[in-house]
Amino acid sequence: PTIVSLRERAERIRVGELEKAFSLLGPPVSERDKKTIEAMSQAIVNKILHDPVSTLRESEEKGDSSGLVEAVRKLFSLGPKKG
C-alpha cells in the first residue's frame, strides 16, 4: 500500500506540473511534443522513485519494513498506513 500511495502521489504531482507547463507554453503544442514531454516526466518520476521503492520491497522481503514504511509515509506526506 505504501508503494502504491507513493506512486499515486508522484503521478498527481507529475500530471499537475505537466498541465501547468502546457498552459504556459500555450497553443499550439504539437502532439509529438506533448508525448515527448510526458515521456520525459514519467522517466524522471520513475528514476526518482526507483531506489525508495526498491528499498521498501527489499525490507518487506526481509520482514523488517515497519519503521521504513512509517518513515516513507511521513517524508512523502502519505498519511497513515491503511490495511
Side-chain angles (χ1 to χ4, degrees):
T2 299
I3 291 171
V4 170
S5 295
L6 183 58
R7 288 205 166 273
E8 287 172 349
R9 176 154 168 72
E11 182 65 9
R12 283 190 306 271
I13 292 168
R14 184 187 74 80
V15 168
E17 293 303 314
L18 273 178
E19 289 172 0
K20 284 185 207 174
F22 289 144
S23 70
L24 289 172
L25 290 171
V29 177
S30 72
E31 280 303 309
R32 180 176 178 262
D33 289 346
K34 282 184 180 180
K35 287 180 182 181
T36 299
I37 294 167
E38 184 153 341
M40 179 193 64
S41 69
Q42 287 173 333
I44 291 169
V45 166
N46 287 337
K47 287 176 195 273
I48 290 170
L49 293 182
H50 177 76
D51 287 340
V53 168
S54 294
T55 301
L56 280 168
R57 284 189 177 129
E58 288 170 10
S59 66
E60 179 66 30
E61 288 171 5
K62 294 176 185 175
D64 184 32
S65 65
S66 62
L68 187 57
V69 165
E70 292 307 314
V72 167
R73 296 193 76 79
K74 188 170 187 169
L75 286 169
F76 291 94
S77 301
L78 301 178
K81 184 178 176 183
K82 297 174 186 168

